[in-house]
Amino acid sequence: MDPLGIKGTYMFTPPVHGDERGSFHEWFRSDDLRQHAGHSLNLAQGNCSISSKGALRGIHFADVPPGQAKYITCLRGAILDVVVDIRVGSPTFAQWEAVRLDDKNRACLYIGEGVGHGFLALTDDATVIYLCSEPYTPSREHGVHPLDPEIGIEWPSDVEPVLSPKDAEAPTLEEAHRAGLLPDYQSCLDYYAKLG
């Protein structure tokens, strides 16, 4: 498990064992996550998303505490998965990092509480599954516009993004900050420490 440049995010590429029958790999291990992140993932919900090419989902986040950590992989097709540091006071505030998750590399991504998350489907039938530390609760869920020029995510130019009405109407990072929607970095660090 390798840390990304944004604190609280990790990428894991599991070894895949294959033969004439197919393949096998362990896509999630609680002990590995605990060793690297310093805490386990409280498994509260599992989601499956199937997207057409160009579907752009996010940038989503939840109020901290308790937030919503996610552990994500792509079972079929390919996505560009993006994390955005939206934690006010973080040394990497407004920075983003992207990784490709697909059915070849079998890579997985862990995203800690308070970090923004979104992905773009690079293929049709891109099938993404993710484990969540807390159940979806609409009253504490928020979004930041994924095409906000202040964040400046470099989405692939050869894929036309298709947003849901909710994501298309999401505030910019600055608007979300002014509205008091963004998590506080120190509060997130304090929450992470309690998880350990």
Side-chain angles (χ1 to χ4, degrees), residues 10 33-40 192 195-196:
Y10 297 85
L33 180 62
R34 180 177 253 316
Q35 177 185 350
H36 291 87
H39 59 270
S40 299
Y192 301 159
L195 293 174

Side-chain angles (χ1 to χ4, degrees), residues 17-61:
H17 310 282
D19 59 26
E20 67 277 359
R21 299 169 299 160
S23 68
F24 172 85
H25 68 280
E26 295 175 342
W27 74 279
F28 174 76
R29 287 190 55 127
S30 182
D31 56 343
D32 285 346
L33 180 62
R34 180 177 253 316
Q35 177 185 350
H36 291 87
H39 59 270
S40 299
L41 177 69
N42 172 48
L43 180 55
Q45 182 173 318
N47 297 332
C48 178
S49 169
I50 302 172
S51 301
S52 300
K53 183 176 181 179
L56 178 51
R57 300 179 184 270
I59 302 297
H60 300 147
F61 64 98

Side-chain angles (χ1 to χ4, degrees), residues 21-195:
R21 299 169 299 160
S23 68
F24 172 85
H25 68 280
E26 295 175 342
W27 74 279
F28 174 76
R29 287 190 55 127
S30 182
D31 56 343
D32 285 346
L33 180 62
R34 180 177 253 316
Q35 177 185 350
H36 291 87
H39 59 270
S40 299
L41 177 69
N42 172 48
L43 180 55
Q45 182 173 318
N47 297 332
C48 178
S49 169
I50 302 172
S51 301
S52 300
K53 183 176 181 179
L56 178 51
R57 300 179 184 270
I59 302 297
H60 300 147
F61 64 98
D63 292 337
V64 179
Q68 188 185 61
K70 298 175 182 173
Y71 191 86
I72 303 154
T73 194
C74 183
L75 292 180
R76 180 171 57 212
I79 64 168
L80 184 70
D81 205 300
V82 175
V83 294
V84 180
D85 195 344
I86 56 168
R87 299 166 297 184
V88 176
S90 169
T92 54
F93 179 74
Q95 294 181 23
W96 60 274
E97 195 159 348
V99 296
R100 181 184 171 101
L101 304 181
D102 62 39
D103 57 13
K104 304 290 186 278
N105 67 25
R106 299 294 182 194
C108 306
L109 189 62
Y110 173 75
I111 303 163
E113 293 86 350
V115 177
H117 171 250
F119 68 85
L120 175 70
L122 302 176
T123 62
D124 280 325
D125 294 325
T127 304
V128 176
I129 58 171
Y130 48 106
L131 306 176
C132 302
S133 65
E134 294 291 331
Y136 174 73
T137 307
S139 62
R140 58 182 185 81
E141 304 288 332
H142 308 285
V144 173
H145 202 290
L147 304 178
D148 179 358
E150 181 185 351
I151 301 171
I153 298 169
E154 295 174 10
W155 301 106
S157 59
D158 61 337
V159 179
E160 184 67 31
V162 179
L163 282 67
S164 71
K166 180 181 173 184
D167 288 343
E169 294 169 5
T172 65
L173 185 67
E174 178 57 32
E175 290 167 343
H177 189 194
R178 283 198 314 262
L181 297 176
L182 302 180
D184 174 73
Y185 182 62
Q186 187 58 53
S187 297
C188 290
L189 294 182
D190 294 344
Y191 186 71
Y192 301 159
K194 289 178 185 176
L195 293 174

